[in-house]
Amino acid sequence: MLHPNKTQLHPSSFLLLGIPGLEDVHIWIGFPFLAVYLIALLGNITILFVIQTERSLHQPMFYFLAMLAFTDLGLSTATIPKMLGIFWFSLREIVFGACITQMYTIHICTGLESVVLMVMAIDRYIAICNPLRYSMVLTSKVIAILGIVIIFRTLVFVTPLIFLILRLPFCEVRIIPHTYCEHMGLAKLSCASIRVNVIYGLIAFSVGYIDLSVIGFSYVQILRAVFHLPSWDSRLKALSTCGSHVCIMLAFYLPALFSFMTHRFGHNVPHCIHILLANLYVVVPPALNPIIYGVRTKQIRERVLRMLNPKSY
């Protein structure tokens, strides 16, 4: 039998180490994280404000963009402030309830991000490949149903993670070698078998790569349509836009895949590399999305410029 002070159902708190092996440069790492956070806040709040106040932007594509901006605000705010506390003030302790809340918020936001990116790719596919049917397919009713489905699917796959963690007894070790709380990082601290957690994690994660497959199919069809455009200028413009979107998706999905595989199979991967890449998909996309999807979208760019310099319009 385990000694009672060696195992407890739920510890009062955990210690987040930040980026193991790079403790000496934590203070410097914090500055780019702060810059990215400020860009994410300013960019996504601006997009939400512009879409809310500009009636001409009350269209399907911009509704999806607003969903993405709202998700990005949640993801960056759930992670970066705590990271900065660790990097600059050594605020490593996080109470059990806050850790579970952070885990849930991060997985909810990444799940929402994945499915919203998929829906946005389908939206672009319909707009480019079937433009005459666009307004008939994506009606207000369809948008509302899609919004409900996006939220429902994410809740269905992410909510069980809370109960899978709460059922586990935890050992005396309370140290998480990471910058934030996430499902497998917490599960590995348990004294019990985490086989169910691993299997469910595989199932939940595979759903994200169904999204990626749909995104890939949509952009392949878009590219086929682009290469049938009559002028090279139109082709280059469309390719530039598609290329930017693909870069955003790679910045989100590739680090997520690397982190997921490292948790299960990459025992020889240096911890600092794992943690840095795991930070990429929760830190970088929220700052890049408003630039790629917002600033490069003509209607939003013109509205922002009109706000900044109303005399020119």
Side-chain angles (χ1 to χ4, degrees):
M1 180 183 293
L2 291 168
H3 197 274
N5 66 0
K6 297 292 183 182
T7 306
Q8 50 185 314
L9 186 58
H10 300 147
S12 60
S13 63
F14 296 105
L15 290 176
L16 292 165
L17 293 186
I19 304 175
L22 298 179
E23 290 86 355
D24 292 342
V25 292
H26 269 179
I27 190 169
W28 302 110
I29 293 173
F31 288 105
F33 276 68
L34 175 63
V36 168
Y37 184 48
L38 293 177
I39 292 170
L41 284 180
L42 180 62
N44 288 298
I45 289 172
T46 300
I47 284 177
L48 288 172
F49 176 77
V50 168
I51 293 174
Q52 170 66 27
T53 56
E54 188 67 35
R55 292 188 63 84
S56 64
L57 300 183
H58 294 180
Q59 303 172 27
M61 182 181 78
F62 298 104
Y63 289 142
F64 297 137
L65 185 56
M67 293 180 201
L68 186 66
F70 188 78
T71 301
D72 284 337
L73 281 174
L75 183 58
S76 57
T77 301
T79 53
I80 300 180
K82 182 60 181 175
M83 292 178 187
L84 295 177
I86 295 169
F87 295 151
W88 287 345
F89 308 109
S90 297
L91 298 175
R92 295 185 173 91
E93 188 170 18
I94 182 169
V95 298
F96 182 82
C99 191
I100 295 295
T101 301
Q102 186 187 50
M103 177 202 79
Y104 186 65
T105 304
I106 290 170
H107 288 303
I108 282 286
C109 288
T110 52
L112 285 172
E113 181 117 0
S114 179
V115 70
V116 170
L117 287 174
M118 178 188 71
V119 171
M120 289 178 72
I122 295 172
D123 171 81
R124 291 299 82 203
Y125 164 71
I126 298 172
I128 293 171
C129 299
N130 295 285
L132 298 178
R133 299 187 60 193
Y134 183 78
S135 59
M136 293 185 290
V137 173
L138 290 173
T139 62
S140 298
K141 183 178 179 181
V142 170
I143 299 299
I145 292 171
L146 281 173
I148 293 170
V149 169
I150 286 170
I151 295 170
F152 180 75
R153 197 201 77 168
T154 305
L155 290 174
V156 164
F157 281 101
V158 174
T159 301
L161 296 177
I162 294 179
F163 302 102
L164 289 174
I165 291 296
L166 292 179
R167 73 184 181 88
L168 296 173
F170 287 87
C171 302
E172 189 179 49
V173 177
R174 301 183 298 116
I175 296 172
I176 303 174
H178 212 313
T179 52
Y180 55 84
C181 297
E182 49 90 34
H183 174 239
M184 284 308 300
L186 281 173
K188 285 183 175 181
L189 298 181
S190 173
C191 299
S193 170
I194 60 171
R195 182 181 177 84
V196 175
N197 297 69
V198 172
I199 293 172
Y200 188 79
L202 285 167
I203 294 170
F205 192 77
S206 65
V207 173
Y209 280 84
I210 294 173
D211 296 344
L212 183 58
S213 299
V214 174
I215 290 169
F217 172 81
S218 298
Y219 276 100
V220 167
Q221 298 304 312
I222 288 170
L223 288 174
R224 288 179 62 186
V226 164
F227 283 114
H228 284 89
L229 292 174
S231 75
W232 273 103
D233 286 343
S234 299
R235 293 181 189 180
L236 290 174
K237 185 178 179 180
L239 285 173
S240 173
T241 301
C242 289
S244 301
H245 293 183
V246 169
C247 287
I248 281 285
M249 290 163 193
L250 291 177
F252 177 72
Y253 284 104
L254 287 183
L257 176 62
F258 180 86
S259 178
F260 178 82
M261 299 303 288
T262 301
H263 262 309
R264 286 150 183 84
F265 312 111
H267 304 297
N268 296 322
V269 175
H271 233 62
C272 61
I273 300 298
H274 175 200
I275 303 307
L276 280 171
L277 287 174
N279 284 329
L280 281 182
Y281 80 97
V282 299
V283 171
V284 174
L288 285 182
N289 285 340
I291 296 172
I292 300 301
Y293 288 109
V295 175
R296 296 195 59 171
T297 301
K298 182 181 177 182
Q299 297 95 318
I300 291 180
R301 184 175 65 249
E302 289 179 349
R303 173 62 174 156
V304 171
L305 291 174
R306 191 159 64 243
M307 287 167 53
L308 295 175
N309 190 11
K311 293 183 180 179
S312 299
Y313 289 85

